[in-house]
Amino acid sequence: MAPMTTAVPPVTTAELMEAVAAVGSAYFLDFAAAAGRHGLSSSQAKALAAVLEPVPMRALAGRLGCDASNVTGIVDRLETLGLARREAAAADRRVKMVTITPEGAEVLRLVRADMTRTHHAFDSLGPEQRTILNDLCRQVLPLLVA
Amino acid sequence: MAPMTTAVPPVTTAELMEAVAAVGSAYFLDFAAAAGRHGLSSSQAKALAAVLEPVPMRALAGRLGCDASNVTGIVDRLETLGLARREAAAADRRVKMVTITPEGAEVLRLVRADMTRTHHAFDSLGPEQRTILNDLCRQVLPLLVA
DNA sequence: TATTGTTATACTCTATAACTATA
DNA sequence: TATAGTTATAGAGTATAACAATA
């Protein structure tokens, strides 16, 4: 009865922004809650995830999207907790490289494993859907961070 | 020469989380930057977007994912800026409804229009891709906020 | 008694500006 | 002189606990 092709209502950029914002927001809340359960603020957990390989303080500020002066306090607290440490850079004695410790890597693993709603949501997708969503994210990302 | 179907490397939930986190993070940074250009913190802008229709203080805390005590200060500042206002609820004299003002709605519109990287990224998608991404987001969202 | 919103408190995150030590 | 990291400061966000008003 229905025609082969029906009129598909076009998805506006505003609608797309709303949908992506809702998913991003829910993801972040789940992340923050999981971090809190392991004694970390979301900024601390995000910083931990950003120093899986050694990163200069200044570059870490860029990744976190905040001023360099903030990173001092964040890394101070991670260092106090034994989850990250500062190391001198070989080439330039001004820069300090921040690295995650084995304890930090373990806590980060636990936090990620503890994002129950996120796992529940993504585990519900089939192989094709996972591939499509992953590809779309990676396609759009370069323009979003340009 | 190549077979009709090739071995597609399966996308793990961890990879999906990384991709979605990167997009969500970049979106949020663009949102925060746009809000800042209009004199708002990201929390204030997010609160503004959450009161397009009147919302009780308590429910607003739920939407923002923070404790109810924080909402007092956030709404205080929005009220000082003339962007939102508190109104008594008819049914229950304990609750206060927060509503956006016309000025607030206009500022929110400007902030959203000012998210240049986000517009650039999403405008680059074709009609089919927009529909697929929108559908996937809305499919996954209920499980993410459950 | 339970709930809504507020206040008081303390800690974290945030940007700005000034400082130091390197380059 | 320019840059990396720190410190000092002030404002905003955050949770916890205690409170007044209302249900």
Side-chain angles (χ1 to χ4, degrees), chain A residues 5-36:
Chain A
T5 61
T6 57
V8 177
V11 176
T12 66
T13 294
E15 286 173 310
L16 221 41
M17 283 172 64
E18 182 191 331
V20 169
V23 168
S25 189
Y27 178 93
F28 181 73
L29 288 180
D30 197 30
F31 176 72

Side-chain angles (χ1 to χ4, degrees), chain A residues 76-98:
Chain A
D76 278 352
R77 287 166 211 119
L78 288 178
E79 217 164 19
T80 299
L81 295 170
L83 306 180
R85 61 167 179 277
R86 279 175 248 235
E87 292 174 358
D92 188 333
R93 289 201 297 174
R94 290 174 303 179
V95 344
K96 296 177 185 173
M97 310 295 286
V98 188

Side-chain angles (χ1 to χ4, degrees), chain A residues 41 66-67 69-70 77 92-94:
Chain A
S41 70
C66 69
D67 190 83
S69 63
N70 304 324
R77 287 166 211 119
D92 188 333
R93 289 201 297 174
R94 290 174 303 179

